[in-house]
Amino acid sequence: MDDINLHYRFMNWRRRIREIREVRAVRYQERYKRMLKNGDTLSYQGNSDEVGCYVAPRPLSKGNCYFEVTIMDTGVRGTIAVGLVPQYYKLDQQPGWLPHSIAYHADDGKLYNGNTVGQQFGPKCNRGDRIGCGIYADTFDAGLVTVFFTKNGKEVGSVVVPVVPDGLFPAIGMHSLGEEVRLDLQAEWGSEEDDSVMMVDSHEDEWARLYDVRVSGTLLEYVGKGKSIMDVGLAQARQPLTTRSHYFEVEIVDPGEKCYIALGLARRDYPKNRHPGWSRGSVAYHADDGKIFHGSGVGDQFGPRCFEGDIMGCGIMFPRDYVLDYEDEMDDWDAADVRPKRGRVENMLYLNDDDEEEGEGDDPEQEQEQEGLKVMVFFTRNGKIIGRREVVVPAGGFYPTIGMLSSGEKVKVDLHPLSG
């Protein structure tokens, strides 16, 4: 009899454990509507008339008190909201519109706190911006908590709100075609200042020449006067593009007053007060007018203009027999010799045969303008190639070069976006 009772007690215990697990599985389950979730990426799937909303499976807590959303695409209207909501929040409403919810809206920079009418709170957010939301873990007191929001790692503001019994859950809302974000529920906030100091130490030495440009990690900021065309701010990389590292990118963080931002390639001794592309031995794509400048102060229409959040790229399509003649451990780039040479194939991106044939009929005088080989320089905008230009590589190679010329301009540079 005791054995039978023990058996039933064991079976009841197993059933109880299974029920608890089922309840927990239902309780901690993410919810979303009119959205497509692919890994950590959320994209709007409605018709722009109806709201799409995502609610995370777990609320913020003292152990996990912050999350971030990176705007990958603002879509038609950029109506992206980031905030906190109750667990069973209605998925056809933007976070912040209904009671007990709060959210920062990217399209107007307003804070919505349980109301469809927002209050001016912070700056608008665009493609590439990171919106963060968190709670101060030490502010739990009598059912109240301080919620704060960040933009690109800097606090925008905070507000005290009541805590609902089940907690406040991370939520993202979208409301127009094309909107897409990347969600990081494990993001950390508070150590970015220390990290930026380390980044300065590890990135500043990548630049050989800096004139009227301040470096902070991967961020370049124009600090010149911006009064005339002679006030160019110039940043030139320490190493030229090679078959092993043939491409780099610049993200426009702040267009400043005029968005006189240019990226391209230039010879090592390029004049410090000339925008890339304006003088001999350089070629560049200019953000303000979408023109390409190739050794001349007069540009040719080339591609679209670029704005805040856009990512501009520049690279070289090397011929298949083209190598840089240097030792792997060589640090003295002043002595590097660039010339065509039969041998190893090391580059990742080559000209195809059709591209090589297209250049056969070009002016032979340009080929002899300088020592070096003709290559195809290409430019991209937001990951798509917008055009190419055949140029002669100057002796010593082509160095990634960025120019700025109006107050407030800031760009984020990635000299090795294809590595790793």
Side-chain angles (χ1 to χ4, degrees):
M1 181 66 69
D2 290 340
D3 291 341
I4 294 176
N5 289 335
L6 182 62
H7 173 74
Y8 279 112
R9 288 173 61 187
F10 176 73
M11 294 297 292
N12 288 334
W13 176 73
R14 290 186 60 185
R15 184 165 56 252
R16 179 59 179 162
I17 292 295
R18 185 167 58 251
E19 289 174 352
I20 291 174
R21 286 177 177 173
E22 290 175 353
V23 169
R24 286 180 176 176
V26 172
R27 181 180 179 185
Y28 296 116
Q29 186 174 26
E30 61 186 3
R31 302 168 54 240
Y32 52 92
K33 185 177 182 179
R34 299 188 186 95
M35 285 194 185
L36 176 66
K37 187 173 187 292
N38 184 10
D40 58 358
T41 300
L42 297 170
S43 53
Y44 179 72
Q45 296 295 301
N47 58 11
S48 293
D49 292 329
E50 301 170 310
V51 171
C53 187
Y54 168 91
V55 179
R58 295 179 182 274
L60 292 188
S61 62
K62 290 185 177 181
N64 183 23
C65 58
Y66 181 74
F67 73 100
E68 274 189 349
V69 167
T70 301
I71 299 177
M72 308 301 292
D73 198 323
T74 55
V76 176
R77 296 195 300 263
T79 46
I80 298 170
V82 178
L84 300 172
V85 301
Q87 181 179 11
Y88 296 109
Y89 192 77
K90 292 184 178 180
L91 299 180
D92 58 356
Q93 300 289 316
Q94 281 276 29
W97 282 1
L98 298 182
H100 309 298
S101 70
I102 184 170
Y104 179 27
H105 286 221
D107 60 315
D108 55 14
K110 291 183 178 181
L111 181 73
Y112 291 76
N113 189 358
N115 198 312
T116 55
V117 179
Q119 302 295 321
Q120 200 56 50
F121 184 68
K124 298 179 182 180
C125 301
N126 299 291
R127 184 182 183 276
D129 285 333
R130 300 187 337 266
I131 304 176
C133 177
I135 56 176
Y136 286 118
D138 57 353
T139 61
F140 283 100
D141 185 22
L144 298 176
V145 65
T146 299
V147 177
F148 66 93
F149 293 90
T150 66
K151 179 186 177 186
N152 298 329
K154 295 182 179 180
E155 184 172 343
V156 175
S158 61
V159 62
V160 178
V161 300
V163 180
V164 294
D166 290 332
L168 292 171
F169 290 70
I172 296 97
M174 299 187 221
H175 202 180
S176 76
L177 291 173
E179 292 172 350
E180 184 175 277
V181 302
R182 184 173 65 240
L183 173 65
D184 185 359
L185 292 173
Q186 306 300 320
E188 296 182 0
W189 183 79
S191 59
E192 183 156 325
E193 183 175 351
D194 295 335
D195 292 342
S196 65
V197 174
M198 294 176 63
M199 289 172 67
V200 170
D201 293 339
S202 62
H203 287 274
E204 191 168 5
D205 59 358
E206 292 185 339
W207 301 99
R209 305 168 67 208
L210 293 166
Y211 299 102
D212 286 338
V213 173
R214 181 167 55 214
V215 180
S216 178
T218 58
L219 188 73
L220 300 183
E221 179 181 1
Y222 177 67
V223 294
K225 297 177 181 179
K227 300 297 184 182
S228 74
I229 62 172
M230 300 301 292
D231 295 329
V232 171
L234 193 76
Q236 188 172 68
R238 186 172 299 277
Q239 298 180 358
L241 292 189
T242 69
T243 54
R244 298 180 182 178
S245 179
H246 68 273
Y247 177 74
F248 73 103
E249 286 183 337
V250 165
E251 177 184 348
I252 301 177
V253 176
D254 192 329
E257 292 182 357
K258 302 292 185 180
C259 198
Y260 289 154
I261 297 169
L263 95 156
L265 302 171
R267 66 181 193 269
R268 185 183 65 250
D269 57 347
Y270 191 77
K272 66 179 182 180
N273 60 349
R274 299 286 288 172
H275 241 338
W278 283 359
S279 294
R280 179 181 58 82
S282 70
V283 59
Y285 176 33
H286 287 222
D288 63 308
D289 55 14
K291 291 183 178 181
I292 187 172
F293 290 76
H294 181 195
S296 172
V298 179
D300 299 322
Q301 200 55 50
F302 186 68
R305 298 169 61 192
C306 299
F307 305 93
E308 181 178 351
D310 283 332
I311 298 176
M312 305 168 67
C314 176
I316 296 178
M317 296 178 179
F318 288 100
R320 290 186 176 275
D321 60 351
Y322 189 93
V323 297
L324 179 65
D325 189 17
Y326 71 98
E327 297 295 332
D328 292 344
E329 297 79 18
M330 186 176 186
D331 293 323
D332 184 9
W333 285 89
D334 290 342
D337 179 28
V338 180
R339 65 175 185 268
K341 177 180 177 181
R342 298 286 176 180
R344 299 172 296 168
V345 176
E346 297 174 311
N347 49 301
M348 298 166 56
L349 187 58
Y350 299 99
L351 281 168
N352 58 37
D353 294 337
D354 294 336
D355 293 329
E356 292 176 331
E357 291 175 1
E358 289 175 4
E360 289 178 358
D362 291 345
D363 186 359
E365 294 181 0
Q366 183 181 7
E367 186 173 359
Q368 298 174 2
E369 177 184 345
Q370 305 176 66
E371 292 184 25
L373 180 72
K374 281 187 176 181
V375 296
M376 193 70 73
V377 174
F378 66 95
F379 293 91
T380 66
R381 179 177 181 267
N382 299 328
K384 296 181 180 179
I385 294 179
I386 58 172
R388 301 178 294 181
R389 176 64 64 93
E390 191 174 46
V391 300
V392 175
V393 180
F398 259 141
Y399 291 74
T401 306
I402 296 143
M404 293 183 274
L405 190 53
S406 76
S407 177
E409 291 171 350
K410 297 178 183 178
V411 299
K412 187 184 298 182
V413 184
D414 188 349
L415 292 173
H416 310 285
L418 301 182
S419 63

